[in-house]
Amino acid sequence: MTAAQIDSFNAHPEFQGFRLTTAELRVTIVEHGGTVTSIEAPDQGGTFANVLLGCPTLDGYLGRHPHFNCLVGRYANRIAGARFELDGEVYELEANIPPHQLHGGRRGFGVRRWRGAVEDEAVVLRLTSEAGDGGYPGTLEVTARYSLASNRLSLDFEATTDAPTPVSLTSHGYFNLSGAPGSTVEDHEVAIAASRYLPVSEELLQLGELQVVNDTPFDLRQAVALGERLFLNDAQLLRAGGFDHTFVIDGRGTREAARVRHPASGRSLAVHTDQPGVQLYTGNTLDDFSAAGVPYTRHGALCLETQQFPDAPNHALYLGHCPHAILRPGEVWRASTTFTFDTDGS
């Protein structure tokens, strides 16, 4: 596969940017939040378009937004009651969605400035999360490595700590493969390689169960158009306003977690990861948000967040499936995900 040309540039007075370019894909990343601001991919006719939904200006990423395309941590997703117990000690976290925590708190990794550099044909982003960030113990040193080869964008995390701490890092990309602003993903065909999923409460908190997908709307083992499932009279879908659930990816090691196709454009996306779960979020509350006067459409994008199970530190069952959710001194936490973009007939 052909490695990308990488160029750095002054994206904003407060942060640098990087462009990764191949004949098949064009990716822009900025230091603020480790955010991927655009992924330009061709349709079946060769026309490129941005397949990420995000802020209309770079200034928008400095303000409030729904974690558009950034890196999130120290622990992705929700921690119930903004607290957990580890090694007999209770830790109280910052409750940024009271009384719970989401994506590491108000100063989670998606609003921090990562320090970026071009190294070994990749964009390498580094962040130090001091002990006490969001309430978490231990100083965490994190590296996120973005590399592009032909039509494949890879994200590799590494983290170390000086005290035991929960860790779950992910990329919060909002994908709409049509490349058409204002459209929905209801016409996107989605398949997820998962025989089980994690049901949620009315507050979208984990119930501590692994539920089989058989005979439910969550059976996405064969591709289905999202519009055929989003509006079904199902208690779990009604709670979230669509999908906002973790799927337990079948198998171990690096394997295909999800596949998305947009029939009209012919674009497709395959996600491979070594993580135990993938959160499918279908932009259920995007219509509550606007940036620079630009309104967003409900179900205007979908997220496929590869991660440890949400709230795993509070569920022994989940920790049994997520042995890497707790990082200890002397260990290296690693996670790898690749996003491969293709078109029909290619």
Side-chain angles (χ1 to χ4, degrees), residues 42-336:
D43 64 11
Q44 56 196 348
T47 300
F48 280 77
N50 184 13
V51 295
L52 285 180
L53 181 68
C55 295
T57 67
L58 290 177
D59 280 328
Y61 290 101
L62 297 176
R64 174 183 171 271
H65 64 84
H67 301 95
F68 275 141
N69 312 317
C70 60
L71 303 178
V72 298
R74 178 176 305 193
Y75 203 92
N77 221 302
R78 292 166 175 81
I79 298 289
R83 68 188 300 278
F84 65 90
E85 182 177 335
L86 179 59
D87 296 341
E89 185 170 350
V90 174
Y91 293 91
E92 301 290 342
L93 305 178
E94 179 187 51
N96 59 323
I97 53 167
H100 314 296
Q101 186 182 89
L102 175 67
H103 295 327
R106 284 192 298 270
R107 277 184 47 79
F109 294 177
V111 299
R112 302 281 290 278
R113 180 179 177 180
W114 297 64
R115 298 294 175 175
V118 179
E119 300 177 14
D120 299 325
E121 299 183 327
V123 174
V124 179
L125 302 166
R126 292 183 172 87
L127 178 70
T128 298
S129 174
E130 302 291 346
D133 268 1
Y136 289 93
T139 295
L140 194 74
E141 300 287 349
V142 186
T143 300
R145 182 180 188 272
Y146 272 112
S147 58
L148 176 63
S150 297
N151 61 341
R152 180 177 299 170
L153 179 65
S154 299
L155 171 59
D156 296 285
F157 286 112
E158 287 191 359
T160 59
T161 183
D162 60 6
T165 183
V167 178
S168 179
L169 310 177
T170 192
S171 170
H172 208 299
Y174 280 77
F175 297 102
N176 184 320
L177 298 185
S178 75
S183 65
T184 76
V185 292
E186 294 168 17
D187 59 352
H188 284 46
E189 298 172 351
V190 175
I192 298 182
S195 302
R196 296 170 295 175
Y197 79 101
L198 308 185
V200 296
S201 71
E202 294 286 352
E203 294 182 277
L204 304 184
L205 302 172
Q206 304 308 307
L207 295 178
E209 304 171 6
L210 278 70
Q211 181 70 47
V212 296
V213 301
N214 301 54
D215 302 318
T216 77
F218 293 83
D219 190 350
L220 301 176
R221 290 172 292 185
Q222 300 295 321
V224 297
L226 283 175
E228 297 178 10
R229 298 287 173 89
L230 287 173
F231 307 104
L232 294 178
N233 186 25
D234 174 86
Q236 285 290 312
L237 291 175
L238 291 172
R239 286 177 181 179
F243 290 102
D244 193 2
H245 296 78
T246 299
F247 288 76
V248 182
I249 307 166
D250 293 338
R252 295 184 180 276
T254 300
R255 70 278 195 217
E256 184 174 294
R259 184 172 292 269
V260 183
R261 178 174 173 267
H262 180 245
S265 67
R267 294 188 182 96
S268 63
L269 166 64
V271 179
H272 291 74
T273 189
D274 58 3
Q275 294 298 283
V278 60
Q279 182 87 1
L280 171 62
Y281 173 57
T282 47
N284 310 320
T285 59
L286 279 174
D287 52 336
D288 293 336
F289 178 76
S290 65
V294 179
Y296 290 81
T297 304
R298 184 187 184 202
H299 302 149
L302 63 87
C303 302
L304 293 164
E305 307 156 56
T306 58
Q307 58 189 251
Q308 304 290 303
F309 292 174
D311 205 24
N314 288 317
H315 298 279
L317 172 63
Y318 290 176
L319 282 176
H321 291 267
C322 302
H324 304 298
I326 305 297
L327 177 65
R328 297 183 181 276
E331 301 175 344
V332 179
W333 191 93
R334 293 183 174 92
S336 179

Side-chain angles (χ1 to χ4, degrees), residues 1-2 22 24-25 148-153 339-342:
M1 303 182 79
T2 305
T22 66
E24 297 92 346
L25 213 59
L148 176 63
S150 297
N151 61 341
R152 180 177 299 170
L153 179 65
F339 304 90
T340 304
F341 296 84
D342 219 328

